[in-house]
């Protein structure tokens, strides 16, 4: 078990394939299930704990290397598809038939895989920040700001409550190299790096992705922070996703930045809970 990647209630399960998956679990007394994927669960844990007031929540750790079965034409692992397949296999191993999927940034990738391959398992999909990129990138602030301002400058630009910066630094120090798998720190050289912010690579082509997005039946929620650098870097793609996914709901959180799980975990959870409740009336 990758115990360092979860801060509370760490557990593991071995899939039929022999892969050991690490996860954390909250709200066991509730019957309705939420799955959430991430590269690690430290500063994101408060969001899971808020959701656990209503749901049985599993935070599933996504791996960043090793062998895989979801291969590209050149034999490399398509980590977007691999993460999604392993989330599906985790749900089956745990005996979960239907669930709500809640993810942020990297953590949305399994949700997009499930939208494509196993929509019958999804009650709803809540995507915090990430949509497939079907338009050219608008800017490269996420790349340029660290070059110009350094790691601390980047932290200040991704967090509204500056007093939380030490918590993020402590998380990175605790995780070591494992922390560099996420876009909060940025490590495109990692084996899985190029898939972390590219859900469109789950599909064979952008055309296939756009076709499927226009035919999504699962209720989808997008939540963006208006000051999230990545929201603006991929602004046209985000807008296109909002427009073409049938009845997608979009929430813009004024003033929130990329690390909103540290600034307003209760608000993140409340948006997901409200959407799940509304989906029963409107879908």
């Amino acid at each position: 078990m990758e115990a360092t990647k979860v801060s509370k209630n760490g557990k593991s399960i071995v899939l039929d394939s022999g892969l050991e998956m690490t996860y954390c679990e909250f709200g066991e007394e509730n019957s309705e299930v939420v799955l959430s994927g991430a590269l690690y669960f430290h500063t994101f844990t408060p969001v899971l704990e808020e959701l656990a007031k209503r749901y049985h929540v599993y935070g599933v750790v996504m791996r960043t290397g090793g062998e895989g079965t979801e291969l590209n034409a050149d034999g490399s692992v398509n980590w977007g598809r691999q993460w999604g397949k392993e989330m599906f296999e985790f749900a089956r191993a745990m005996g979960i038939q239907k669930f709500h999927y809640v993810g942020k940034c990297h953590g949305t990738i399994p949700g997009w895989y499930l939208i494509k391959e196993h929509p019958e398992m999804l009650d709803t999909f809540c995507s915090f920040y990430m949509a497939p990129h079907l338009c050219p990138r608008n800017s490269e602030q996420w790349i340029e700001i660290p070059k110009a301002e350094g790691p601390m400058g980047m932290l200040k630009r991704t967090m509204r409550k500056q007093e939380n910066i030490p918590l993020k630094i402590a998380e990175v120090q605790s995780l070591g190299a494992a922390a560099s798998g996420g876009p909060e720190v940025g490590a495109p050289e990692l084996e899985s790096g190029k898939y972390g912010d590219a859900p469109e690579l789950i599909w064979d082509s952008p055309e296939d992705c756009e076709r499927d997005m226009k035919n999504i039946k699962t209720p989808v929620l997008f939540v963006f922070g208006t000051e999230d650098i990545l929201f603006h870097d991929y602004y046209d793609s985000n807008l296109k996703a909002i427009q073409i996914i049938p009845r997608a709901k979009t929430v813009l959180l004024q003033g929130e930045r990329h690390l909103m799980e540290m600034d307003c975990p209760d608000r993140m959870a409340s948006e997901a809970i409200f959407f799940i409740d509304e989906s029963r009336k409107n879908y």
Side-chain angles (χ1 to χ4, degrees):
M1 181 173 72
E2 296 179 293
T4 61
K5 291 189 176 182
V6 294
S7 61
K8 293 181 181 180
N9 301 347
K11 303 177 182 181
S12 69
I13 184 173
V14 178
L15 304 180
D16 289 342
S17 64
L19 175 69
E20 183 181 22
M21 294 188 72
T22 297
Y23 67 98
C24 49
E25 185 176 9
F26 303 90
E28 293 94 329
E29 68 277 10
N30 300 316
S31 58
E32 202 167 356
V33 175
V34 165
L35 263 58
S36 183
L39 300 175
Y40 45 83
F41 289 95
H42 284 249
T43 54
F44 198 80
T45 299
V47 179
L48 302 186
E49 292 177 313
E50 283 294 319
L51 289 169
K53 294 175 181 178
R54 288 276 301 273
Y55 309 105
H56 188 171
V57 179
Y58 297 89
V60 185
V61 173
M62 296 150 44
R63 59 192 176 110
T64 54
E67 296 181 357
T69 57
E70 296 297 301
L71 305 179
N72 298 308
D74 63 1
S76 62
V77 179
N78 185 315
W79 281 100
R81 292 189 55 82
Q82 192 70 40
W83 288 333
K85 181 180 180 183
E86 289 170 5
M87 188 67 66
F88 167 71
E89 292 174 345
F90 173 86
R92 293 187 63 183
M94 299 297 290
I96 303 168
Q97 301 299 317
K98 294 274 285 186
F99 54 89
H100 305 282
Y101 190 84
V102 177
K104 181 226 163 184
C105 204
H106 275 63
T108 68
I109 303 293
W112 290 111
Y113 173 90
L114 292 162
I115 283 281
K116 180 181 185 296
E117 300 290 352
H118 299 287
E120 73 283 354
M121 298 190 76
L122 288 176
D123 285 317
T124 63
F125 175 29
C126 300
S127 174
F128 287 84
Y129 157 65
M130 186 77 74
H133 307 131
L134 298 177
C135 300
R137 190 168 180 157
N138 293 84
S139 59
E140 295 189 343
Q141 297 178 83
W142 194 268
I143 298 169
E144 296 302 326
I145 289 173
K147 293 179 181 178
E149 303 179 22
M152 186 58 66
M154 187 62 167
L155 274 179
K156 291 179 179 178
R157 297 286 292 274
T158 56
M159 198 178 305
R160 175 171 53 81
K161 295 180 179 179
Q162 303 289 288
E163 63 270 25
N164 283 334
I165 288 177
L167 295 176
K168 188 63 180 177
I169 293 173
E171 175 184 68
V172 172
Q173 291 174 339
S174 173
L175 289 163
S180 63
E184 293 84 359
V185 182
E189 71 277 5
L190 274 184
E191 186 178 354
S192 60
K194 70 177 182 179
Y195 297 95
D197 63 352
E200 66 276 9
L201 295 182
I202 292 168
W203 281 264
D204 293 332
S205 69
E207 293 76 20
D208 288 345
C209 179
E210 182 169 348
R211 178 203 64 219
D212 283 0
M213 288 176 69
K214 291 178 178 178
N215 291 285
I216 289 175
K217 301 291 194 299
T218 303
V220 174
L221 168 69
F222 288 113
V223 180
F224 299 102
T226 61
E227 293 186 17
D228 185 343
I229 297 165
L230 285 174
F231 173 57
H232 295 283
D233 275 0
Y234 294 103
Y235 183 81
D236 286 348
S237 291
N238 293 329
L239 191 63
K240 182 165 187 171
I242 290 167
Q243 292 172 331
I244 69 175
I245 294 176
R247 294 187 292 172
K249 179 180 178 181
T250 303
V251 174
L252 296 179
L253 298 183
Q254 184 66 35
E256 295 301 337
R257 301 179 181 182
H258 192 69
L259 297 180
M260 63 175 70
E261 67 271 17
M262 299 189 69
D263 290 327
C264 58
D266 53 344
R267 179 66 185 274
M268 289 181 69
S270 68
E271 291 294 346
I273 291 168
F274 181 78
F275 175 70
I276 289 169
D277 286 344
E278 288 295 297
S279 71
R280 297 188 177 95
K281 305 174 185 177
N282 300 325
Y283 287 84

